[in-house]
Amino acid sequence: MHNLVRLDDWSPADIDEVFRLAEAYRDGSGPSFDGSAVMFFPPTSLRTRVSFERGAALMGLQPIVFPSEALDKSEALADVARYLESWADVMIVRHGDIVVLEQLAAAAALPVVNAMTDVNHPCEVLSDLFAIRERRGLDGQRFLFVGADGNVARAWQEAARVLGLDLTQCCPADIAIPGAVWTDDLETAVRTADVILTDGFGEHVAQLEPFQITAALLDIAPAGVLLNPCPPFTRGEEVSADAIEHPAFVGHRFKASLLPVQQAIVAFAIGSS
């Protein structure tokens, strides 16, 4: 049984195994199960929820979905996990508070998979890394994350620590992740980036306006640069409309990897050889 709460808790070998399983699920040969996956999602979840529900059903796990608020009550979360252990094989949880996931995982009753918190978003990043790996491999790739400190930025930092990725954050200094490799010179950073990542501007719209990725910027990036904004993205904020039409944009195609990667994460969490 493996939990995925933070990527920092995993090893490179764990990620390699998930990618091996993802290849199998993509090719229609992943392991199957006979059980159920209990999921907690807010009503706003779209891509992650669809791919988790569909993926679970395809691998033989009945998806049983609750609103995230079902975990916000006085009952101890360890008791929740131990009751669900009688009927479920895995818990997939999207909840703002990562402590909720930590407490569920600490019960050691069921594997817990983090489908997003306010602190990180590991499944999203693993899916993107799998898509990049399939296209060109990860060795030697220079990753540029354009955006503020937030759950997506921190998930990329977790992945960079585990896998030794060359990752630079680009944004004003006061909204950068403490300790991250950082720059506020967007044009210079783009000139050496192989993969450009973005997140929504959120409350930092005014500060981040000069950091919008445009087609003109992509034209000065190295040949073959990939633009992969984290959805939901907003044309006219973190990316311009012409950037989405640029050949570098891979956002829609890359998200197809959510299905096999999340299936692989679930299989790895439950335990599959």
Side-chain angles (χ1 to χ4, degrees):
M1 184 176 76
H2 296 87
N3 299 306
L4 176 55
V5 178
R6 291 179 171 84
L7 281 172
D8 288 308
D9 299 330
W10 279 18
S11 68
D14 293 332
I15 294 175
D16 283 345
E17 176 61 11
V18 164
F19 287 166
R20 183 192 71 78
L21 286 164
E23 290 172 354
Y25 281 113
R26 179 202 60 201
D27 298 339
S29 60
S32 59
F33 298 83
D34 181 14
S36 68
V38 173
M39 306 182 185
F40 296 87
F41 280 106
T44 53
S45 183
L46 178 63
R47 286 155 291 266
T48 306
R49 177 174 172 175
V50 167
S51 48
F52 262 124
E53 284 200 56
R54 178 62 176 155
L58 288 171
M59 60 197 295
L61 293 169
Q62 178 190 3
I64 303 171
V65 185
F66 294 93
S68 300
E69 293 80 7
L71 295 170
D72 298 332
K73 50 189 177 182
S74 59
E75 182 181 13
L77 291 169
D79 293 328
V80 171
R82 288 170 185 146
Y83 279 119
L84 291 176
E85 181 183 11
S86 296
W87 312 298
D89 300 276
V90 62
M91 298 178 68
I92 297 162
V93 183
R94 174 171 285 197
H95 193 284
D97 188 354
I98 198 169
V99 173
V100 169
L101 280 78
E102 291 172 337
Q103 291 181 3
L104 290 168
L110 290 169
V112 174
V113 174
N114 179 347
M116 195 178 82
T117 70
D118 289 346
V119 170
N120 60 357
H121 198 353
C123 293
E124 186 89 13
V125 169
L126 285 175
S127 171
D128 288 343
L129 286 169
F130 178 77
I132 295 165
R133 177 178 176 267
E134 291 290 282
R135 177 176 286 221
R136 58 171 59 167
L138 299 178
D139 291 345
Q141 296 298 296
R142 295 163 296 185
F143 293 82
L144 176 64
F145 184 91
V146 183
D149 185 355
N151 60 349
V152 176
R154 287 183 177 259
W156 276 104
Q157 290 292 333
E158 290 177 11
R161 287 191 291 269
V162 175
L163 296 175
L165 302 178
D166 180 351
L167 173 66
T168 299
Q169 184 180 14
C170 186
C171 64
D174 62 323
I175 55 175
I177 295 174
V181 177
W182 164 87
T183 182
D184 60 0
D185 187 342
L186 179 60
E187 182 173 329
T188 299
V190 164
R191 289 182 183 276
T192 59
D194 299 304
V195 181
I196 299 174
L197 311 156
T198 69
D199 192 17
F201 284 175
E203 63 184 285
H204 304 293
V205 172
Q207 282 181 279
L208 288 170
E209 184 178 356
F211 293 83
Q212 181 185 94
I213 301 299
T214 64
L217 276 173
L218 294 171
D219 285 341
I220 67 171
V225 65
L226 304 178
L227 171 62
N228 185 39
C230 183
F233 58 81
T234 303
R235 292 171 173 84
E237 288 193 8
E238 67 266 39
V239 288
S240 65
D242 60 5
I244 301 304
E245 302 304 319
H246 195 278
F249 175 72
V250 293
H252 301 145
R253 296 192 302 277
F254 266 32
K255 290 308 159 193
S257 293
L258 278 170
L259 181 63
V261 170
Q262 291 176 169
Q263 287 179 298
I265 291 167
V266 170
F268 182 71
I270 294 172
S272 173
S273 56

